[in-house]
Amino acid sequence: MMKLYRMEMYKLCHKKLFLAGAAITAALMVFYFFISVSSERCVVGDKIYLGYEAVKMDREITREFEGEITDEKINGIVEKYGLPSVYADNMPGWQDANYLNNFVALYFTDGNWKNNTPISMQYTLAETEFGQAHEKLGITPVLSYVKGWTVFCDMLQFGLVLGSILVICGVSVVFADEKQTGMYPLIFTTWEGPRKDIAAKTAAAFSLAFLVFAGIAAFDLALCAAGYGLDGFESISGMVFQGKMETPTLIDKILFADYLRILLTAGLFSQLCLCAITLCVSAHNATSFGAVVISAVLWCAPVLLRMFFGGIMHLVVDAMPIFMIMANTLWDIYDVYRIEFVISLAVTVCCLAKTVVYYRKVR
C-alpha cells in the first residue's frame, strides 16, 4: 500500500503542469507581496517614507509606544506626531499619517477619511468601542505593529485562489488519466487490485491538496515575517484589520489568534473539499482535459448561485471551496461558521464516497 502511495505521490508532484503551476504561484505571491510593500506610506514630521522604508520607520516609531494602551500613551502619540488631517478623494487613508497617529485617528477620534470627515474630537479609551471590546474580553489592550498579520491574511486569500487552481490541475488527472491512457482495465488484473489502487490514489490526492495549502500558508508567513514582522498576535482581530468595531457580529472583537485559527481551518477545508469534488469529476470523466474543465466550472459555479439565490442557499453556497478561502466570507458567516464547516465536511465525504463507488463499478 505504501509503495503504491509513494508512486502516486511521485506521479502527481512531478507532472510538468503541477511544477510549473507551483512556480507561477510562488512568483505571483512574491509579486503580490511586493505590491503590498510598495503601497506603504509613513509621514514623520516633514519627511515622507514610501515602500519598505515606510515599513521600517513605522516599526521603529512604534517600539517607543509598544505595550499596554493607556490614555497617557495615546496623548503622548498625539503630542509627538499630531493627528492626521489630509485626505484625498482618489487616495486611500490619511495622506499625512504614520502607523501611530493613524491608529489614534481610527479608534480614538470622530474623523473618517473614507467619507471626508475631518477630526474634531478625541475620546478616552473608556469612551471608545475599542476599549469596551477589550473590557468585555477581559484583556489588556496592547499596541504593536500588526501590519504583518494584516498582509498575511490578505495574501493568504490570494494564494489559496492560486492553490485551488493548482489542486484542480493536479488532482483532475488522478482517475481520468488511467482511462485516457488505457491503463484502467489493467488495474483490475494487478495483484494489489482496485481497492488498494483507489485508496493509494485518494490518499495521494488529499496529501497533495494538504501540501498545497500548507506550502502557501508557510510561504506567506515567511514573506510577512521577513518584510513586516509578526508582532501583534495577541491583538484583537478588529485591530489587525483596522476596523471601526461597528460590524453586527463579534468577529472584530475576538482575539486575532482565534480568528486566525478559524481562517486557516476554513482554508484547509476548502482545499480538501475541492480535492474531493475534483476526484469525483475525475472518476466520471474519460479525459484529463474534460475533468479539469468540469472541475473548474463546479469551483466557480457557487458565485452565480450566491448572486441569484438567498436564504438557506447562502448557507450552503458559503461552505463551498471558492467562498471558504475568502476572508470577507468569514466576517459574514462567523455566527454559524461551525455549521459551514459541517456542510463542507459533508460535501467532502459524499464526493469521496461517490468517487469510490463509481470508479470500482466501471469496467
Side-chain angles (χ1 to χ4, degrees):
M1 176 64 185
M2 284 303 299
K3 182 179 179 181
L4 283 174
Y5 170 75
R6 289 195 297 268
M7 289 174 58
E8 292 298 333
M9 281 298 296
Y10 182 87
K11 285 165 57 179
L12 290 178
C13 294
H14 283 76
K15 285 187 176 294
K16 292 181 179 179
L17 181 61
F18 178 80
L19 293 175
I24 293 172
T25 297
L28 288 175
M29 288 184 68
V30 170
F31 179 72
Y32 187 99
F33 181 74
F34 175 77
I35 294 298
S36 297
V37 173
S38 300
S39 65
E40 296 293 339
R41 178 186 177 94
C42 171
V43 179
V44 178
D46 296 328
K47 192 165 184 179
I48 300 175
Y49 299 87
L50 301 174
Y52 187 60
E53 292 299 318
V55 175
K56 291 195 295 184
M57 181 53 64
D58 274 334
R59 293 183 68 182
E60 181 179 331
I61 65 176
T62 302
R63 290 191 188 100
E64 180 184 351
F65 294 93
E66 279 183 337
E68 181 180 354
I69 299 174
T70 62
D71 290 327
E72 291 75 18
K73 185 172 289 188
I74 294 302
N75 291 331
I77 293 174
V78 175
E79 289 175 7
K80 187 167 185 177
Y81 298 106
L83 289 172
S85 58
V86 179
Y87 49 81
D89 292 335
N90 59 341
M91 296 291 289
W94 297 101
Q95 298 305 295
D96 57 342
N98 55 52
Y99 180 78
L100 290 176
N101 59 8
N102 181 72
F103 170 76
V104 175
L106 181 64
Y107 294 114
F108 296 88
T109 73
D110 60 346
N112 190 341
W113 61 267
K114 293 181 180 179
N115 54 19
N116 298 339
T117 303
I119 296 173
S120 61
M121 186 177 298
Q122 181 181 331
Y123 304 108
T124 63
L125 179 62
E127 294 174 327
T128 63
E129 288 192 42
F130 180 82
Q132 293 164 10
H134 283 85
E135 186 177 356
K136 288 179 181 178
L137 288 173
I139 60 175
T140 301
V142 175
L143 176 61
S144 54
Y145 185 76
V146 300
K147 280 286 188 72
W149 290 113
T150 306
V151 176
F152 172 82
C153 293
D154 289 341
M155 197 159 66
L156 182 65
Q157 174 179 308
F158 176 72
L160 289 181
V161 170
L162 300 176
S164 297
I165 298 173
L166 202 56
V167 168
I168 290 173
C169 293
V171 176
S172 292
V173 303
V174 170
F175 293 115
D177 200 43
E178 301 289 357
K179 300 176 185 177
Q180 184 172 304
T181 58
M183 291 296 295
Y184 177 76
L186 299 179
I187 293 174
F188 290 89
T189 65
T190 61
W191 181 81
E192 288 84 0
R195 180 178 60 82
K196 289 186 178 181
D197 181 77
I198 293 173
K201 290 181 183 296
T202 301
F206 276 96
S207 296
L208 183 73
F210 177 80
L211 288 175
V212 168
F213 166 78
I216 287 172
F219 189 54
D220 184 5
L221 191 68
L223 287 175
C224 293
Y228 289 90
L230 297 177
D231 298 330
F233 189 70
E234 71 281 4
S235 304
I236 60 176
S237 61
M239 182 176 174
V240 172
F241 296 103
Q242 299 183 342
K244 272 286 192 180
M245 309 264 140
E246 296 173 349
T247 57
T249 66
L250 294 175
I251 193 167
D252 55 350
K253 303 176 185 68
I254 65 173
L255 288 172
F256 176 71
D258 294 331
Y259 174 89
L260 186 61
R261 172 179 54 81
I262 299 170
L263 181 68
L264 290 175
T265 303
L268 177 58
F269 272 43
S270 75
Q271 299 302 285
L272 297 181
C273 184
L274 179 60
C275 177
I277 292 171
T278 306
L279 277 175
C280 189
V281 173
S282 181
H284 285 74
N285 275 268
T287 65
S288 299
F289 178 76
V292 169
V293 172
I294 295 175
S295 297
V297 170
L298 291 176
W299 179 55
C300 298
V303 175
L304 294 177
L305 292 176
R306 203 178 195 280
M307 292 171 58
F308 296 107
F309 298 96
I312 192 67
M313 184 60 70
H314 264 208
L315 192 67
V316 175
V317 169
D318 285 342
M320 295 299 100
I322 195 169
F323 283 110
M324 290 284 275
I325 61 177
M326 296 183 180
N328 286 341
T329 300
L330 188 54
W331 290 74
D332 295 334
I333 68 170
Y334 174 69
D335 291 335
V336 293
Y337 76 87
R338 291 181 179 84
I339 298 176
E340 300 289 359
F341 287 175
V342 170
I343 294 173
S344 178
L345 183 61
V347 172
T348 301
V349 172
C350 289
C351 288
L352 183 57
K354 178 66 175 174
T355 299
V356 173
V357 171
Y358 180 82
Y359 196 71
R360 292 192 67 177
K361 285 183 178 180
V362 175
R363 292 290 187 274

